[in-house]
Amino acid sequence: MFYFVLIVGAAALIALYRFFPNKKIFICFCVTLVIVFCISAFIQIRYSEKELVSRTEIEEIRRQQQIFGDWYADYQQDIDHLDRNWQLYHSIIKSLKTAEVYEYSTYEQLLELEADALEEQAKIHALAVPKDLNSEYAGLLLEIIKKTHNYVDAQTKTISAVRNLADPAKFTDLKFLNQIIKDITIRESPAGLFTATEIAAIREMLVVPGEEVGQ
């Protein structure tokens, strides 16, 4: 195709030569056409190379999206579990505030919650960066994991401390027990799990050119 266009162009110039009264004007015209042609050819070659590279890059981004997406789906399930444990913890201590008698069934709830919290803590500490995830995203993922470790450790410590003190064999005075639980909850509770910045940064980095975040 390239040579065909070149031959046709040369033939057209030869034909046009007869209609130009001045050879200098014709030469200037030819030089201008050659310059325009060379620039166009250069741009076309560069565009083709860029398009080829972009296709490869897009395929890799898609692969990285899948790797991160699978990891994040499992991670979100663990976070949902942590939220349920924390909601149950607050439900139990709230029931103690309104109870007239400290029933052993409440302590059994704390025992079950602690066992569940310890199990979830072990799962969170087993979190790792997927081996196929590129290093440019791995640093942010490590920060998410570190924050989650700190959060689950504080949550589990709070639950275990309250469960240990709430043993009916140790305390029968509900008013005193509730005050101690309040102090522990204020002192030991996790400050919060804030990973939105890291997650948003990873998602933005994994956007395919031409697409929007979250598309």
Side-chain angles (χ1 to χ4, degrees), residues 86 147 150-155 158 185-194:
W86 202 230
K147 287 183 176 182
N150 293 337
Y151 180 87
V152 73
D153 289 346
Q155 186 185 100
T158 305
T185 302
I186 293 173
R187 185 175 65 252
E188 305 293 351
S189 288
L193 182 56
F194 305 108

Side-chain angles (χ1 to χ4, degrees), residues 7-27:
I7 292 170
V8 172
L13 286 175
I14 293 172
L16 285 171
Y17 178 74
R18 298 175 58 185
F19 298 97
F20 274 84
N22 190 306
K23 289 185 178 181
K24 288 184 178 180
I25 295 175
F26 178 74
I27 292 172

Side-chain angles (χ1 to χ4, degrees), residues 125-140:
H125 276 275
L127 286 175
V129 175
K131 62 179 182 179
D132 293 328
L133 192 71
N134 289 349
S135 58
E136 58 190 301
Y137 317 118
L140 290 167

Side-chain angles (χ1 to χ4, degrees), residues 9-188:
L13 286 175
I14 293 172
L16 285 171
Y17 178 74
R18 298 175 58 185
F19 298 97
F20 274 84
N22 190 306
K23 289 185 178 181
K24 288 184 178 180
I25 295 175
F26 178 74
I27 292 172
C28 290
F29 176 74
C30 291
V31 170
T32 302
L33 285 179
V34 169
I35 292 173
V36 170
F37 178 79
C38 290
I39 293 173
S40 299
F42 176 76
I43 292 173
Q44 181 63 34
I45 292 170
R46 292 288 295 174
Y47 178 79
S48 299
E49 291 176 350
K50 183 179 179 181
E51 189 177 43
L52 182 62
V53 172
S54 295
R55 214 177 291 124
T56 303
E57 289 175 347
I58 288 172
E59 289 176 0
E60 177 59 19
I61 291 173
R62 297 283 189 204
R63 192 176 77 89
Q64 292 295 307
Q65 284 178 342
Q66 185 65 48
I67 294 170
F68 173 70
D70 291 343
W71 181 91
Y72 185 70
D74 293 337
Y75 173 79
Q76 193 58 54
Q77 290 182 1
D78 288 328
I79 297 305
D80 290 343
H81 200 154
L82 289 178
D83 288 341
R84 288 195 297 273
N85 283 349
W86 202 230
Q87 289 172 15
L88 179 56
Y89 169 77
H90 282 282
S91 176
I92 293 172
I93 63 174
K94 183 179 179 180
S95 68
L96 281 173
K97 291 178 182 178
T98 57
E100 295 182 0
V101 179
Y102 184 26
E103 298 182 0
Y104 191 77
S105 59
T106 303
Y107 181 67
E108 288 180 330
Q109 283 183 297
L110 283 170
L111 284 170
E112 292 176 5
L113 176 59
E114 181 186 33
D116 197 14
L118 289 169
E119 182 179 344
E120 191 59 33
Q121 183 184 36
K123 287 181 64 178
I124 294 297
H125 276 275
L127 286 175
V129 175
K131 62 179 182 179
D132 293 328
L133 192 71
N134 289 349
S135 58
E136 58 190 301
Y137 317 118
L140 290 167
L141 211 61
L142 281 171
E143 185 63 24
I144 292 172
I145 292 173
K146 179 182 176 181
K147 287 183 176 182
T148 311
H149 283 177
N150 293 337
Y151 180 87
V152 73
D153 289 346
Q155 186 185 100
T156 306
K157 183 179 179 181
T158 305
I159 293 171
S160 293
V162 169
R163 191 281 310 158
N164 182 53
L165 287 171
D167 188 341
K170 297 180 179 179
F171 287 99
T172 56
D173 186 339
L174 267 178
K175 184 177 180 180
F176 184 53
L177 177 60
N178 280 321
Q179 184 58 51
I180 294 178
I181 290 175
K182 180 181 178 181
D183 293 342
I184 291 174
T185 302
I186 293 173
R187 185 175 65 252
E188 305 293 351

Side-chain angles (χ1 to χ4, degrees), residues 58 61-62 65 204 206-215:
I58 288 172
I61 291 173
R62 297 283 189 204
Q65 284 178 342
E204 186 174 347
L206 287 172
V207 171
V208 173
E211 295 184 358
E212 296 180 358
V213 179
Q215 188 173 354

